[in-house]
Short mmCIF file of all heavy atoms in Angstrom, two decimals:
data_model
loop_
_atom_site.label_atom_id
_atom_site.label_comp_id
_atom_site.label_asym_id
_atom_site.label_seq_id
_atom_site.Cartn_x
_atom_site.Cartn_y
_atom_site.Cartn_z
N VAL A 842 83.70 95.62 61.89
CA VAL A 842 84.76 96.56 62.23
C VAL A 842 85.85 95.80 62.99
O VAL A 842 85.58 95.00 63.93
CB VAL A 842 84.17 97.72 63.16
CG1 VAL A 842 85.34 98.61 63.53
CG2 VAL A 842 83.10 98.41 62.42
N ASP A 843 87.07 95.92 62.55
CA ASP A 843 88.19 95.26 63.21
C ASP A 843 88.54 96.10 64.45
O ASP A 843 89.13 97.17 64.40
CB ASP A 843 89.31 95.16 62.27
CG ASP A 843 89.10 94.19 61.18
OD1 ASP A 843 88.29 93.28 61.37
OD2 ASP A 843 89.68 94.36 60.08
N ARG A 844 88.09 95.65 65.58
CA ARG A 844 88.43 96.31 66.85
C ARG A 844 89.40 95.41 67.59
O ARG A 844 89.34 94.11 67.57
CB ARG A 844 87.17 96.35 67.71
CG ARG A 844 86.14 97.26 67.14
CD ARG A 844 84.92 97.37 68.11
NE ARG A 844 83.88 98.14 67.54
CZ ARG A 844 82.69 98.10 67.93
NH1 ARG A 844 82.34 97.38 68.95
NH2 ARG A 844 81.70 98.79 67.31
N PRO A 845 90.40 96.01 68.24
CA PRO A 845 91.36 95.17 69.01
C PRO A 845 90.61 94.58 70.22
O PRO A 845 89.81 95.23 70.92
CB PRO A 845 92.40 96.23 69.47
CG PRO A 845 91.73 97.54 69.39
CD PRO A 845 90.69 97.48 68.26
N SER A 846 90.87 93.34 70.42
CA SER A 846 90.15 92.70 71.57
C SER A 846 90.88 93.14 72.82
O SER A 846 91.99 93.40 72.86
CB SER A 846 90.38 91.19 71.44
OG SER A 846 91.67 90.82 71.44
N PRO A 847 89.99 93.27 73.90
CA PRO A 847 90.56 93.70 75.14
C PRO A 847 91.55 92.64 75.68
O PRO A 847 91.42 91.46 75.42
CB PRO A 847 89.40 93.79 76.10
CG PRO A 847 88.29 93.03 75.46
CD PRO A 847 88.56 92.98 74.00
N ARG A 848 92.51 93.12 76.42
CA ARG A 848 93.47 92.23 76.96
C ARG A 848 92.91 91.36 78.09
O ARG A 848 92.24 91.83 78.92
CB ARG A 848 94.64 93.02 77.60
CG ARG A 848 95.87 92.20 78.00
CD ARG A 848 96.97 93.18 78.40
NE ARG A 848 98.14 92.30 78.68
CZ ARG A 848 99.21 92.69 79.31
NH1 ARG A 848 99.30 94.04 79.59
NH2 ARG A 848 100.23 91.95 79.50
N PRO A 849 93.05 90.06 77.95
CA PRO A 849 92.40 89.17 78.95
C PRO A 849 93.02 89.44 80.34
O PRO A 849 94.13 89.72 80.61
CB PRO A 849 92.77 87.74 78.52
CG PRO A 849 93.25 87.95 77.08
CD PRO A 849 93.70 89.31 76.92
N VAL A 850 92.15 89.30 81.35
CA VAL A 850 92.60 89.59 82.73
C VAL A 850 93.57 88.57 83.15
O VAL A 850 94.49 88.94 83.91
CB VAL A 850 91.35 89.53 83.67
CG1 VAL A 850 91.66 89.67 85.16
CG2 VAL A 850 90.37 90.68 83.27
N ARG A 851 93.44 87.32 82.82
CA ARG A 851 94.34 86.23 83.26
C ARG A 851 95.75 86.56 82.71
O ARG A 851 96.71 86.37 83.45
CB ARG A 851 93.89 84.96 82.80
CG ARG A 851 94.80 83.78 83.27
CD ARG A 851 94.23 82.50 82.77
NE ARG A 851 95.20 81.43 83.05
CZ ARG A 851 94.90 80.37 83.79
NH1 ARG A 851 93.71 80.22 84.22
NH2 ARG A 851 95.83 79.47 84.01
N ARG A 852 95.82 87.01 81.48
CA ARG A 852 97.17 87.28 80.89
C ARG A 852 97.81 88.46 81.60
O ARG A 852 98.91 88.47 81.93
CB ARG A 852 97.07 87.55 79.43
CG ARG A 852 98.35 87.96 78.80
CD ARG A 852 98.23 88.19 77.33
NE ARG A 852 97.88 86.92 76.69
CZ ARG A 852 98.82 86.12 76.01
NH1 ARG A 852 99.94 86.61 75.81
NH2 ARG A 852 98.39 85.05 75.49
N GLU A 853 96.87 89.43 81.99
CA GLU A 853 97.47 90.57 82.71
C GLU A 853 97.94 90.25 84.14
O GLU A 853 98.93 90.73 84.56
CB GLU A 853 96.34 91.64 82.84
CG GLU A 853 96.75 92.96 83.47
CD GLU A 853 95.70 93.97 83.40
OE1 GLU A 853 94.85 93.94 82.59
OE2 GLU A 853 95.73 94.84 84.34
N LEU A 854 97.24 89.31 84.68
CA LEU A 854 97.67 88.89 86.11
C LEU A 854 98.94 88.05 86.06
O LEU A 854 99.73 88.08 86.89
CB LEU A 854 96.59 87.99 86.69
CG LEU A 854 95.40 88.69 87.29
CD1 LEU A 854 94.32 87.79 87.74
CD2 LEU A 854 95.74 89.66 88.40
N LEU A 855 99.06 87.23 84.98
CA LEU A 855 100.25 86.33 84.85
C LEU A 855 101.46 87.09 84.28
O LEU A 855 102.62 86.73 84.65
CB LEU A 855 99.94 85.18 83.99
CG LEU A 855 98.88 84.22 84.55
CD1 LEU A 855 98.51 83.15 83.61
CD2 LEU A 855 99.36 83.60 85.90
N GLU A 856 101.24 87.99 83.40
CA GLU A 856 102.40 88.58 82.73
C GLU A 856 102.58 90.07 83.03
O GLU A 856 103.52 90.69 82.53
CB GLU A 856 102.24 88.42 81.21
CG GLU A 856 102.23 86.94 80.82
CD GLU A 856 101.89 86.77 79.35
OE1 GLU A 856 101.85 87.80 78.61
OE2 GLU A 856 101.86 85.64 78.84
N GLY A 857 101.72 90.66 83.79
CA GLY A 857 101.83 92.08 84.10
C GLY A 857 102.85 92.39 85.20
O GLY A 857 103.38 91.47 85.75
N PRO A 858 103.12 93.64 85.40
CA PRO A 858 104.05 94.03 86.44
C PRO A 858 103.50 93.57 87.89
O PRO A 858 102.34 93.82 88.15
CB PRO A 858 104.19 95.55 86.38
CG PRO A 858 103.00 95.99 85.67
CD PRO A 858 102.51 94.79 84.78
N ILE A 859 104.32 93.04 88.64
CA ILE A 859 103.90 92.50 89.97
C ILE A 859 103.45 93.59 90.96
O ILE A 859 102.48 93.47 91.61
CB ILE A 859 105.05 91.62 90.58
CG1 ILE A 859 105.32 90.47 89.67
CG2 ILE A 859 104.70 91.15 91.97
CD1 ILE A 859 106.50 89.56 90.03
N ALA A 860 104.25 94.59 91.03
CA ALA A 860 104.03 95.66 92.06
C ALA A 860 102.63 96.32 91.72
O ALA A 860 101.82 96.54 92.61
CB ALA A 860 105.19 96.69 92.06
N ALA A 861 102.49 96.68 90.46
CA ALA A 861 101.21 97.37 90.12
C ALA A 861 100.02 96.47 90.34
O ALA A 861 98.94 96.92 90.71
CB ALA A 861 101.29 97.82 88.63
N THR A 862 100.10 95.21 90.00
CA THR A 862 99.03 94.27 90.12
C THR A 862 98.75 94.06 91.58
O THR A 862 97.56 94.07 91.98
CB THR A 862 99.34 92.90 89.51
OG1 THR A 862 99.70 93.04 88.13
CG2 THR A 862 98.21 91.91 89.55
N LEU A 863 99.70 93.91 92.41
CA LEU A 863 99.50 93.74 93.89
C LEU A 863 98.81 94.98 94.45
O LEU A 863 97.83 94.93 95.25
CB LEU A 863 100.80 93.50 94.62
CG LEU A 863 101.30 92.02 94.56
CD1 LEU A 863 102.63 91.98 95.26
CD2 LEU A 863 100.32 91.09 95.26
N LEU A 864 99.30 96.21 94.11
CA LEU A 864 98.68 97.39 94.54
C LEU A 864 97.23 97.48 94.14
O LEU A 864 96.29 97.89 94.89
CB LEU A 864 99.49 98.53 94.08
CG LEU A 864 99.10 99.87 94.61
CD1 LEU A 864 99.31 99.97 96.16
CD2 LEU A 864 99.85 101.01 93.97
N ARG A 865 96.94 97.20 92.88
CA ARG A 865 95.64 97.36 92.30
C ARG A 865 94.67 96.37 92.93
O ARG A 865 93.49 96.72 93.26
CB ARG A 865 95.66 97.13 90.81
CG ARG A 865 94.35 97.52 90.12
CD ARG A 865 94.37 97.39 88.62
NE ARG A 865 94.69 95.97 88.19
CZ ARG A 865 95.86 95.60 87.60
NH1 ARG A 865 96.79 96.46 87.36
NH2 ARG A 865 96.06 94.41 87.20
N LYS A 866 95.12 95.20 93.32
CA LYS A 866 94.23 94.19 93.96
C LYS A 866 94.08 94.33 95.45
O LYS A 866 93.07 93.93 96.01
CB LYS A 866 94.79 92.75 93.65
CG LYS A 866 94.82 92.34 92.19
CD LYS A 866 93.41 92.29 91.70
CE LYS A 866 93.39 91.79 90.23
NZ LYS A 866 92.03 91.81 89.65
N SER A 867 95.14 94.95 96.06
CA SER A 867 95.02 95.08 97.49
C SER A 867 94.42 96.44 97.99
O SER A 867 93.92 96.48 99.15
CB SER A 867 96.44 95.00 98.15
OG SER A 867 97.27 96.04 97.66
N LEU A 868 94.29 97.42 97.19
CA LEU A 868 93.69 98.67 97.59
C LEU A 868 92.22 98.53 98.10
O LEU A 868 91.87 99.17 99.08
CB LEU A 868 93.84 99.76 96.50
CG LEU A 868 95.20 100.37 96.42
CD1 LEU A 868 95.24 101.41 95.31
CD2 LEU A 868 95.59 101.03 97.78
N PRO A 869 91.36 97.81 97.37
CA PRO A 869 90.01 97.70 97.90
C PRO A 869 89.93 96.89 99.26
O PRO A 869 89.13 97.31 100.14
CB PRO A 869 89.32 96.84 96.85
CG PRO A 869 90.13 97.01 95.59
CD PRO A 869 91.49 97.29 96.01
N VAL A 870 90.82 96.02 99.47
CA VAL A 870 90.87 95.32 100.70
C VAL A 870 91.30 96.20 101.84
O VAL A 870 90.78 96.26 102.93
CB VAL A 870 91.83 94.01 100.62
CG1 VAL A 870 91.93 93.38 101.97
CG2 VAL A 870 91.31 93.10 99.58
N VAL A 871 92.35 97.03 101.56
CA VAL A 871 92.85 97.99 102.59
C VAL A 871 91.74 99.03 102.89
O VAL A 871 91.53 99.35 104.04
CB VAL A 871 94.14 98.67 102.07
CG1 VAL A 871 94.56 99.78 102.96
CG2 VAL A 871 95.24 97.58 101.99
N GLY A 872 91.07 99.43 101.89
CA GLY A 872 90.01 100.47 102.09
C GLY A 872 88.87 99.87 102.92
O GLY A 872 88.35 100.57 103.93
N GLY A 873 88.51 98.58 102.73
CA GLY A 873 87.49 97.93 103.53
C GLY A 873 87.97 97.79 105.00
O GLY A 873 87.13 97.99 105.95
N MET A 874 89.19 97.36 105.20
CA MET A 874 89.75 97.28 106.56
C MET A 874 89.82 98.53 107.29
O MET A 874 89.50 98.60 108.49
CB MET A 874 91.18 96.60 106.50
CG MET A 874 91.16 95.18 106.07
SD MET A 874 92.81 94.52 105.81
CE MET A 874 93.43 94.44 107.42
N ILE A 875 90.13 99.70 106.60
CA ILE A 875 90.18 100.96 107.26
C ILE A 875 88.75 101.39 107.67
O ILE A 875 88.51 101.95 108.74
CB ILE A 875 90.86 101.98 106.34
CG1 ILE A 875 92.29 101.70 106.22
CG2 ILE A 875 90.60 103.42 106.83
CD1 ILE A 875 93.11 102.54 105.26
N ALA A 876 87.75 101.10 106.72
CA ALA A 876 86.37 101.39 107.02
C ALA A 876 85.88 100.66 108.30
O ALA A 876 85.23 101.27 109.17
CB ALA A 876 85.49 101.09 105.84
N MET A 877 86.23 99.35 108.36
CA MET A 877 85.81 98.55 109.47
C MET A 877 86.48 99.02 110.83
O MET A 877 85.90 99.10 111.86
CB MET A 877 86.11 97.08 109.28
CG MET A 877 85.15 96.45 108.22
SD MET A 877 85.61 94.75 107.78
CE MET A 877 85.88 94.03 109.36
N LEU A 878 87.78 99.38 110.67
CA LEU A 878 88.52 99.85 111.83
C LEU A 878 87.95 101.18 112.35
O LEU A 878 87.70 101.34 113.54
CB LEU A 878 89.98 99.99 111.48
CG LEU A 878 90.87 100.61 112.63
CD1 LEU A 878 91.01 99.62 113.76
CD2 LEU A 878 92.25 101.01 111.99
N SER A 879 87.67 102.04 111.45
CA SER A 879 87.12 103.38 111.88
C SER A 879 85.70 103.28 112.51
O SER A 879 85.35 103.87 113.48
CB SER A 879 87.05 104.37 110.66
OG SER A 879 86.23 103.90 109.69
N PHE A 880 84.95 102.34 111.88
CA PHE A 880 83.57 102.09 112.50
C PHE A 880 83.72 101.52 113.95
O PHE A 880 83.07 102.03 114.88
CB PHE A 880 82.78 101.12 111.66
CG PHE A 880 81.47 100.66 112.36
CD1 PHE A 880 80.42 101.51 112.22
CD2 PHE A 880 81.42 99.43 112.99
CE1 PHE A 880 79.25 101.09 112.82
CE2 PHE A 880 80.24 99.06 113.62
CZ PHE A 880 79.16 99.89 113.50
N ASN A 881 84.67 100.52 114.13
CA ASN A 881 84.81 99.98 115.45
C ASN A 881 85.36 100.96 116.48
O ASN A 881 84.97 100.98 117.60
CB ASN A 881 85.67 98.72 115.45
CG ASN A 881 84.99 97.58 114.79
OD1 ASN A 881 83.81 97.42 114.88
ND2 ASN A 881 85.79 96.64 114.13
N LEU A 882 86.30 101.86 115.99
CA LEU A 882 86.86 102.90 116.89
C LEU A 882 85.70 103.87 117.28
O LEU A 882 85.60 104.25 118.50
CB LEU A 882 87.98 103.59 116.23
CG LEU A 882 89.27 102.85 116.20
CD1 LEU A 882 90.30 103.65 115.44
CD2 LEU A 882 89.78 102.56 117.58
N VAL A 883 84.91 104.25 116.44
CA VAL A 883 83.86 105.27 116.74
C VAL A 883 82.85 104.62 117.63
O VAL A 883 82.29 105.16 118.58
CB VAL A 883 83.21 105.89 115.47
CG1 VAL A 883 82.01 106.60 115.65
CG2 VAL A 883 84.26 106.70 114.71
#
Side-chain angles (χ1 to χ4, degrees):
V842 178
D843 291 332
R844 294 181 188 164
S846 62
R848 190 172 183 191
V850 176
R851 183 179 173 125
R852 176 175 294 256
E853 186 176 332
L854 285 174
L855 294 175
E856 297 175 3
I859 295 173
T862 303
L863 281 175
L864 186 65
R865 189 176 62 248
K866 295 295 182 184
S867 64
L868 280 180
V870 175
V871 170
M874 291 174 67
I875 289 173
M877 288 174 45
L878 175 69
S879 63
F880 174 80
N881 287 331
L882 284 175
V883 171

